[in-house]
């Protein structure tokens, strides 16, 4: 067997993605759709929503608190949570119990309730006297953001390519161009690197749920020729030695929540950098921006991407850390992996001047208190230009400070 570490700077790196029909991603999307609905009722809503799914069954639970019209808005959530969950399942394509879930017939249980007053007082600035009137972090913890210059999106290539494969598969499934594809899917891309430079794609793995009775040879040929190659050939990294593993168990008919249970927040590496950048302690989906697990991870990505876009470094990882109820980060760290063009201490100083990393400042800078979250819950939270944390509008300001 080939060694995964060919020499000190020559190695293979692998990342995976899962499709929107994966049971964990079904749950992430339901949780974020409920969050979006709560924010549409009250932009200051505090939400921590979890979803669980198994064979033709969905349960939602967690805490939701409103700053205005609390009783009326709680009633609206109770009345609409089931409809929201069914609509998400329908949009994904879960319309038949043979797929593992039927959007019209699954059993639904709602266990959502109001937010803890103890947590809320610190978040809204009614906690310790020294922080009175200032929005505190919704929890303690550390959050990471990462960026590198190996793709146009300033994302690691293995995870970016894995997402793109499944986006193509979803397009062909939903358009009916490949009629036998079902919603559940996973992909994986292994890239050979020299230092930080991708040299070639070594291995591609795709496991895609399908209708019964489709010959494996047809599945393999179709996925390679109509999905993988159209996505990866333009990269110039495929070659004659690239290996393909398509549905390597030979059959993938039973899938979705019937093949495996789903749970919110269980695909955190898929959501971020495919393992190339570190991840903090918490998942994202179902959490409003007062939860720094989510909002500070977005800010850390925003900072890291602007560092790389400003050509301060070829790679950057940013760590932000918080204490619950405290209105500012307890630490800010930048690691440039030896690729920096300025002293790292100077980069950190510039970051502190350019970016407001308080919980309130993050929500304000990135305009987070609005219903934008369901779209984040599949194919990665990063590397997609439609999201505000992907802007590089601070790159020139960073560069000017560093050159002063």
């Amino acid at each position: 067997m080939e060694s995964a570490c060919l020499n000190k700077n020559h190695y293979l790196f692998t990342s995976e993605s899962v499709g929107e029909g994966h049971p964990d991603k079904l749950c992430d999307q339901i949780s974020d759709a409920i969050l979006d609905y709560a924010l549409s009722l009250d932009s200051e809503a505090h939400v921590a929503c979890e979803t669980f799914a198994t064979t033709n069954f969905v349960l939602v639970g967690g805490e939701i608190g409103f700053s205005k019209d609390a009783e009326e808005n709680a009633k609206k959530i109770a009345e609409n949570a089931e409809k929201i969950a069914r609509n998400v399942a329908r949009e994904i394509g879960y319309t038949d119990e043979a797929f593992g879930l039927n959007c019209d017939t699954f059993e639904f249980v709602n266990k959502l309730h109001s937010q803890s007053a103890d947590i809320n007082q610190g978040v809204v600035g009614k906690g310790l006297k020294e922080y009175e009137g200032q929005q505190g972090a919704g929890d303690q913890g550390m959050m990471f953001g990462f960026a590198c210059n190996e793709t146009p999106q300033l994302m690691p290539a293995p995870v970016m390519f894995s997402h793109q494969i499944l986006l193509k598969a979803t397009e062909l499934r939903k358009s009916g161009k490949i009629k036998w594809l079902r919603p559940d899917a996973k992909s994986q891309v292994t890239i050979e690197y020299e230092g930080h430079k991708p040299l070639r794609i070594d291995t591609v793995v795709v496991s895609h749920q399908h209708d019964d009775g489709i010959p494996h040879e047809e599945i393999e040929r179709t996925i390679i020729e109509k999905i993988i190659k159209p996505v990866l050939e333009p990269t110039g990294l495929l070659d004659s030695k690239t290996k393909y593993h398509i549905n390597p168990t030979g059959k993938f008919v039973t899938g979705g929540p019937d093949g495996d249970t789903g749970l919110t927040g269980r695909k955190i590496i898929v959501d971020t950098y495919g393992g190339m950048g570190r991840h903090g302690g918490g998942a994202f989906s179902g959490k409003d921006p007062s939860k720094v697990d989510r909002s500070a991870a977005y800010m850390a990505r925003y900072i890291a991407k602007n560092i790389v876009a400003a050509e301060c470094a070829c790679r950057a990882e940013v760590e932000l850390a918080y204490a619950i109820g405290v209105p500012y980060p307890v630490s800010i760290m930048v690691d440039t992996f030896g690729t920096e063009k300025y002293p790292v201490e100077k980069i950190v100083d510039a970051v502190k001047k350019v970016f407001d990393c308080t919980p309130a400042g993050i929500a304000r800078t990135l305009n987070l208190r609005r219903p934008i979250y369901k779209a984040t819950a599949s194919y990665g939270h990063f590397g997609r230009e439609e999201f505000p944390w992907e802007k590089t509008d601070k790159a020139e300001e960073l560069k000017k400070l560093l050159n002063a």
Side-chain angles (χ1 to χ4, degrees), residues 174-203:
K174 288 187 169 181
S175 68
K177 291 180 180 177
I178 305 180
K179 297 182 183 299
W180 41 259
L181 290 178
R182 291 181 175 182
D184 198 356
K186 299 180 80 170
S187 65
Q188 185 172 284
V189 175
T190 300
I191 291 182
E192 184 178 336
Y193 280 83
E194 186 72 57
H196 296 315
K197 182 183 178 182
L199 296 181
R200 55 180 293 275
I201 296 171
D202 183 82
T203 308

Side-chain angles (χ1 to χ4, degrees), residues 2 9 26 47 123-124 139 185 189 203 222 251 261 304 323 383 385 398:
E2 291 182 9
N9 293 307
L26 163 73
V47 182
V123 174
V124 300
D139 202 352
V189 175
T203 308
T222 302
K251 185 178 181 181
T261 58
E385 297 303 318
L398 274 175

